[in-house]
Amino acid sequence: GTLVSASMPWEGRTRTYRIFVPAAYTPGTASPLVVGLHGGFGSGEQFQRDNGLESALSARGMLGVFPDGVPGPLSGVRTWNAGNCCAYSQTADVDDVGFLGALVAKVQRRYDVDPNRIFAIGHSNGAMMSYRLACELPGVFAAIAPVEGAIDDTHPCRPRHRMNVLIIHGRLDRNVPWDGGVGVGYSQVDYASVTQAVVRWRRINHCAGPWAVTVDGDLRTKDAQGCDPGGAVRLRALADGNHEWPGGADRAFIAGSPSDALDATADALDFFLAHPQTT
C-alpha cells in the first residue's frame, strides 16, 4: 500500500492528513473507508503507526485517512473539538465536524469509496470526536469505534439517527474513567461514564432486548439485542485495560502498558466490515 500526505484549507487554516491506499485498491471498485482519529498529544501519523492500521487495512482492502487535529498555538498539542473537550480546538471552537465531513467528501472525489461503508475509529479525544461525528454526520458514517473515549453529555445527540457503535474501554482507565468524572491528565473535563454512552446509543438504536454477554479472560463483551437494523451496540470491556490502545504500541509515558486481551485495531475493522450502513 501507499501513504500520501496532503492538505486542504478549512476555516482559514491549512488542515493536514495522510491517505492510505491498500495495494488491493482497484479504481472502479467501491472500497470501504476508515477515518482514524488520534488522541491528544498524538497525530494522524502516530495513530496509524502505533496501532498497526496500515497492515490491518491492507489485509482487508480498506482505504484509510488519518487527519491531524489543530495544534494549540502555545502547547503544540493537537486536539479535536469533540464538544466538551479538548484543549485549544474546543476553546477556539474549531469546526472539526465540518472539516472531517469535507475531508471524507474530498477522498470520495479522488477514490472509489463505498458510501455505505465509511467508518470512524478514534482514541481518547479522537474517540470523543467519533461520537460527535455519529451525532452530527450520521448519514455519512455507517459505524464508529470509540476506544477509551466518552460521549459529550452536555449536548444532546441530534439528529437521533441509528448508528452501529463498538465501544472499547478499559476498566482501569484513569484518564477517561469507566465510571465518568474528572480523570488524571491535562484535560480536567468531567467525563460521562461508559454506561451513559451505552444508554444513549441503546436508546437511539431502539435496542429493546437484554444484553448477550460473553467473557474471555480479561475481555467481557456485551451485545445489545433487538436493535434497529444498522444500529448494533457492542461493548468490549477490558478488566486489565488502561487508557492505552489495546494491542497497540507501548507508550508507557502516558498510561502504562496496553492490554493484550484484545487487538482493538483488528477488532474494530472487522466490526466495520460486518456493519455497513443500511439504507
Side-chain angles (χ1 to χ4, degrees), residues 162-164 201-202 205-211 223-234:
R162 68 179 181 273
M163 176 69 52
N164 295 298
W201 287 105
R202 277 185 60 111
N205 291 337
H206 303 117
C207 303
W211 290 105
D223 281 295
Q225 305 296 295
C227 307
D228 290 344
V233 179
R234 176 176 295 167

Side-chain angles (χ1 to χ4, degrees), residues 47 55 62 76 78 81 86 95 114 116 125 132 136 165 167 183 214 219 228 235 249 253 278:
F47 178 83
S55 57
M62 303 172 87
R78 297 179 180 277
N81 178 11
C86 292
D95 180 18
D114 183 341
N116 292 317
N125 177 212
R132 185 168 187 187
E136 298 191 27
V165 178
I167 299 169
T214 55
L219 177 65
D228 290 344
L235 173 62
F253 70 96
T278 54

Side-chain angles (χ1 to χ4, degrees), residues 7-144:
S7 64
M8 64 184 284
W10 189 259
E11 272 197 329
R13 296 182 178 92
T14 298
R15 299 301 302 260
T16 53
Y17 55 92
R18 293 151 71 87
I19 298 175
F20 174 72
V21 182
Y25 172 77
T26 309
T29 303
S31 297
L33 171 64
V34 177
V35 180
L37 300 167
H38 66 78
F41 296 97
S43 68
E45 190 272 334
Q46 168 272 324
F47 178 83
Q48 163 256 316
R49 181 191 68 237
D50 284 352
N51 304 327
L53 264 301
E54 214 174 312
S55 57
L57 291 166
S58 274
R60 294 163 180 80
M62 303 172 87
L63 294 160
V65 62
F66 304 102
D68 296 313
V70 172
L74 298 177
S75 67
V77 173
R78 297 179 180 277
T79 56
W80 304 103
N81 178 11
N84 62 341
C85 190
C86 292
Y88 174 76
S89 292
Q90 190 256 332
T91 55
D93 199 25
V94 173
D95 180 18
D96 279 321
V97 173
F99 161 59
L100 293 167
L103 176 58
V104 167
K106 188 173 180 183
V107 174
Q108 286 178 290
R109 288 193 296 272
R110 171 69 182 80
Y111 300 94
D112 287 303
V113 175
D114 183 341
N116 292 317
R117 292 191 294 168
I118 300 173
F119 311 103
I121 184 172
H123 183 210
S124 189
N125 177 212
M128 301 168 202
M129 192 68 222
S130 75
Y131 277 131
R132 185 168 187 187
L133 293 174
C135 290
E136 298 191 27
L137 297 177
V140 175
F141 293 92
I144 59 167

